[in-house]
């Protein structure tokens, strides 16, 4: 496809004697292939071809011997370009130029053109009617793949009062990394200028929100995790960055939380400090490219936390108090347990011997800690002609009544406790030595009546 019009010019300011008789190169420009060609002449060497772009500046292509064409990279052309070929003739190098202009009325071309890809498989392009365009203007969009040079027209136009002002595409299978977009127009009144642009898919894709956002909390933090969004082409985690918006529900307008940026290098997770009891929060996440600051839409909010943290705090206090009471009851039961080896009262018998009986009664009345039983006051001074019987059961009941509220035992520190131990005496363990002269096992004490001896009979 050849784009017209073009103006073929030779440098008028050159010396006419230099260029007199030099034939024109008859240059032609194919905008579809971005190729400039000319007629080859005998005895002529072509040195270089140049495209002068208003935005990119001069773009030079060196020519091979006897080569009569050159191909330029893809650039937009709606602002006009100038081509130049340097020819080495017999006399001296002569440049010949070709000026390409955008024909039509000024201000009639589509304006504010933009395209964006969303949800990985859809694309919308929009533009506005030119300020000087007539009412009957109609625009058409063509998209060309710069890799395979495949071209197609917009399948679904968006209209405003019958004029095409946008295009919706649901099939992006024919798009490459770089694509050429051309919007030209027609009118019965005047010529319409065209607008063209070359767009890189990564610069026009708006990423979807992350997938599968989840929040898992412990007593001090909440781990927020997500999956990278689906994109037009497969990208690594390092090519994404994310923004997190965490808000407290009950104080949303005064929360003052700043947006949190997380790099894709962090394996798509963020640890949010939030100790218990925590109020109810929401988190939203959006995505952008690491090198291109173009944020997508926010995800749906995900809630975590409790509606009433004060109620949760009351429950914690109740659990603490209940645990304290249960612990106190368990400790009290352990301290009130009877000893595994109860102390039995001694079974004491006294013989008729007065001195030994007094010693025996004294040992029975004195307790291991040195105090005296009340019963013993009535037995002093002892009567030699008195028979005393200590019934084992009665003595046991009496001693048990004295031990109704025993002292609370202390835990013995085997390493640091140097105080003398208060050992309890087990009476049964004292076994009498048969070799002792004194036998202290007295059975009874009985009163003996003196009997007058009868006179011996003769």
């Amino acid at each position: 496809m050849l784009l017209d019009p073009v103006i073929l010019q030779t440098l008028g300011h050159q010396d006419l004697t230099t260029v007199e008789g030099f034939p024109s190169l008859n240059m032609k420009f194919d905008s579809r292939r971005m190729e400039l060609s000319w007629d080859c002449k005998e005895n002529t060497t072509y040195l270089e071809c140049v495209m002068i772009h208003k935005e990119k500046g001069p773009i030079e292509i060196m020519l091979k011997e006897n080569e009569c064409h050159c191909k330029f990279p893809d650039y937009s052309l709606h602002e006009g370009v100038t081509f130049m070929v340097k020819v080495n003739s017999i006399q001296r190098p002569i440049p010949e130029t070709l000026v390409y202009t955008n024909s039509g009325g000024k201000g009639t071309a589509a304006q504010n053109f933009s395209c964006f890809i969303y949800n990985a498989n859809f694309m919308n392009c929009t533009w506005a009617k030119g300020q000087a365009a007539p009412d009957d203007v109609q625009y058409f969009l063509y998209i060309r793949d710069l890799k395979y040079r495949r071209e197609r027209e917009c399948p679904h136009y968006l209209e405003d009062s019958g004029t095409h002002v946008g295009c919706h595409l649901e099939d992006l299978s024919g798009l490459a990394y770089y694509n050429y977009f051309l919007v030209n127009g027609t009118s019965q009144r005047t010529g319409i200028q065209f607008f063209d642009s070359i767009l890189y898919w990564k610069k026009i894709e708006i990423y979807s929100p992350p997938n599968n956002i989840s929040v898992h909390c412990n007593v001090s933090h909440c781990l927020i995790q997500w999956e990278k969004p689906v994109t037009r082409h497969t990208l690594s985690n390092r090519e994404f960055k994310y923004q997190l918006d965490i808000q407290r529900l009950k104080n949303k307008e005064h929360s003052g939380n700043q947006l949190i940026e997380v790099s894709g290098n962090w394996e798509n997770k963020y640890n949010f400090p939030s100790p218990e009891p925590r109020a109810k929060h929401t988190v939203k996440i959006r995505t952008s490219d690491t090198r291109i600051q173009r944020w997508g839409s926010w995800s749906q909010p995900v809630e975590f936390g409790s509606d009433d943290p004060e109620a949760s705090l009351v429950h914690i206090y109740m659990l603490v108090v209940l645990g304290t009471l249960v612990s106190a009851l368990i400790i009290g039961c352990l301290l009130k347990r009877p000893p595994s080896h109860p102390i039995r009262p001694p079974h004491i018998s006294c013989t008729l011997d007065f001195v030994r009986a007094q010693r025996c009664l004294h040992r029975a009345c004195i307790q291991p800690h040195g105090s005296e039983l009340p019963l013993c006051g009535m037995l002093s001074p002892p009567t030699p002609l008195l028979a005393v019987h200590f019934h084992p059961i009665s003595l046991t009941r009496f001693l048990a009544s004295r031990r109704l509220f025993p002292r609370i035992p202390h835990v013995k520190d085997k390493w640091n406790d140097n105080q003398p131990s208060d050992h309890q005496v087990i009476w049964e363990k004292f076994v009498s030595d048969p070799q002792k002269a004194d036998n202290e096992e007295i059975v009874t004490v009985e009163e003996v009546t003196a009997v007058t001896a009868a006179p011996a009979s003769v």
Side-chain angles (χ1 to χ4, degrees):
M1 179 177 66
L2 299 179
L3 295 183
D4 292 325
V6 294
I7 301 176
L8 183 62
Q9 294 179 342
T10 57
L11 297 183
H13 61 272
Q14 295 283 348
D15 189 357
L16 295 179
T17 59
T18 305
V19 298
E20 184 179 358
F22 188 83
S24 171
L25 297 179
N26 192 23
M27 290 190 296
K28 298 178 182 179
F29 176 65
D30 185 353
S31 62
R32 180 183 177 89
R33 302 176 57 188
M34 290 296 291
E35 184 178 57
L36 179 68
S37 61
W38 57 89
D39 297 337
C40 291
K41 304 296 182 180
E42 296 180 359
N43 300 324
T44 304
T45 303
Y46 305 100
L47 303 177
E48 183 182 32
C49 64
V50 181
M51 180 177 70
I52 302 175
H53 196 275
K54 290 187 176 181
E55 293 182 358
K56 304 299 181 180
I59 302 168
E60 300 178 355
I61 304 294
M62 300 303 297
L63 298 175
K64 298 179 182 179
E65 186 178 359
N66 298 325
E67 191 173 31
C68 300
H69 63 89
C70 60
K71 190 172 184 179
F72 295 96
D74 292 290
Y75 291 102
S76 61
L77 303 173
H78 64 274
E79 292 185 356
V81 292
T82 300
F83 299 98
M84 182 174 61
V85 177
K86 292 182 179 180
V87 181
N88 189 12
S89 66
I90 300 175
Q91 298 175 350
R92 69 176 188 176
I94 301 175
E96 185 169 339
T97 61
L98 175 69
V99 178
Y100 174 77
T101 60
N102 189 356
S103 62
K106 187 176 181 180
T108 59
Q111 58 185 4
N112 300 331
F113 179 84
S114 65
C115 294
F116 64 94
I117 299 173
Y118 65 98
N119 292 342
N121 294 315
F122 304 96
M123 184 173 70
N124 280 349
C125 295
T126 58
W127 58 87
K129 182 179 176 181
Q131 294 180 355
D135 294 337
D136 66 339
V137 66
Q138 189 60 278
Y139 297 103
F140 302 92
L141 173 65
Y142 298 90
I143 304 173
R144 184 167 69 239
D145 169 18
L146 294 182
K147 183 177 181 180
Y148 300 104
R149 302 290 171 176
R150 296 171 298 191
E151 186 175 293
R152 59 175 171 171
E153 187 182 354
C154 170
H156 304 287
Y157 283 105
L158 306 176
E159 297 184 357
D160 181 14
S161 301
T163 304
H164 298 164
V165 293
C167 176
H168 173 71
L169 290 90
E170 297 182 354
D171 180 15
L172 305 183
S173 58
L175 297 183
Y177 285 92
Y178 289 91
N179 299 276
Y180 177 79
F181 294 80
L182 171 65
V183 181
N184 60 18
T186 59
S187 174
Q188 298 295 331
R189 299 180 183 179
T190 183
I192 305 299
Q193 293 182 327
F194 70 90
F195 176 87
D196 63 342
S197 178
I198 296 176
L199 300 179
Y200 178 37
W201 71 267
K202 201 171 186 181
K203 290 185 177 181
I204 65 174
E205 182 173 10
I206 299 178
Y207 296 146
S208 303
N211 297 321
N212 299 331
I213 302 174
S214 62
V215 183
H216 302 282
C217 298
N218 57 21
V219 295
S220 60
H221 289 76
C222 287
L223 180 63
I224 304 173
Q225 294 178 297
W226 61 89
E227 295 179 1
K228 66 180 182 180
V230 178
T231 55
R232 176 67 185 154
H233 297 276
T234 303
L235 301 174
S236 65
N237 286 337
R238 294 184 177 182
E239 298 186 63
F240 295 96
K241 62 180 176 181
Y242 305 92
Q243 273 190 350
L244 281 70
D245 183 14
I246 303 176
Q247 299 286 345
R248 183 170 177 173
L249 285 184
K250 286 191 175 181
N251 196 22
K252 189 172 182 180
E253 63 277 6
H254 302 294
S255 61
N257 290 347
Q258 296 182 352
L259 298 180
I260 303 170
E261 285 198 10
V262 180
S263 172
N265 291 336
W266 291 9
E267 299 180 353
N268 301 339
K269 63 182 179 181
Y270 177 72
N271 214 5
F272 176 61
S274 178
E276 290 184 346
R278 65 177 58 87
K280 177 163 284 190
H281 290 71
T282 61
V283 56
K284 299 185 297 183
I285 307 177
R286 62 180 181 177
T287 316
S288 175
D289 187 87
T290 303
R291 294 175 294 273
I292 303 172
Q293 190 79 6
R294 187 169 185 174
W295 295 103
S297 58
W298 289 102
S299 66
Q300 292 297 321
V302 176
E303 296 184 355
F304 63 95
S306 174
D307 287 326
D308 190 1
E310 290 78 8
S312 301
L313 188 61
V314 170
H315 294 161
I316 293 176
Y317 289 156
M318 293 179 62
L319 291 176
V320 171
V321 172
L322 182 60
T324 303
L325 292 177
V326 172
S327 301
L329 290 176
I330 293 175
I331 295 175
C333 293
L334 292 176
L335 295 179
K336 288 295 182 180
R337 287 179 56 188
S340 58
H341 300 286
I343 301 175
R344 297 179 181 178
H347 187 164
I348 302 175
S349 302
C350 299
T351 60
L352 187 59
D353 192 323
F354 170 75
V355 178
R356 294 180 180 177
Q358 185 180 18
R359 191 181 307 162
C360 178
L361 290 174
H362 179 71
R363 285 200 308 270
C365 293
I366 300 302
Q367 296 185 20
H369 51 77
S371 61
E372 184 178 345
L373 296 174
L375 178 62
C376 299
M378 298 184 297
L379 299 179
S380 180
T383 304
L385 298 180
L386 188 63
V388 181
H389 297 273
F390 291 93
H391 197 278
I393 299 178
S394 300
L395 185 59
T396 301
R397 291 177 179 175
F398 177 75
L399 294 177
S401 65
R402 296 289 294 175
R403 293 283 183 174
L404 181 59
F405 300 101
R407 293 180 300 167
I408 298 176
H410 297 280
V411 179
K412 181 178 179 182
D413 189 350
K414 296 182 178 182
W415 301 101
N416 301 320
D417 193 2
N418 296 325
Q419 301 297 328
S421 302
D422 185 11
H423 297 289
Q424 295 180 346
V425 179
I426 306 301
W427 294 92
E428 286 83 355
K429 291 186 178 182
F430 288 91
V431 182
S432 60
D433 189 353
Q435 297 180 358
K436 279 189 176 182
D438 298 334
N439 188 355
E440 297 180 356
E441 293 185 0
I442 302 173
V443 180
T444 57
V445 178
E446 298 179 356
E447 182 179 1
V448 179
T449 305
V451 179
T452 306
S457 61
V458 181

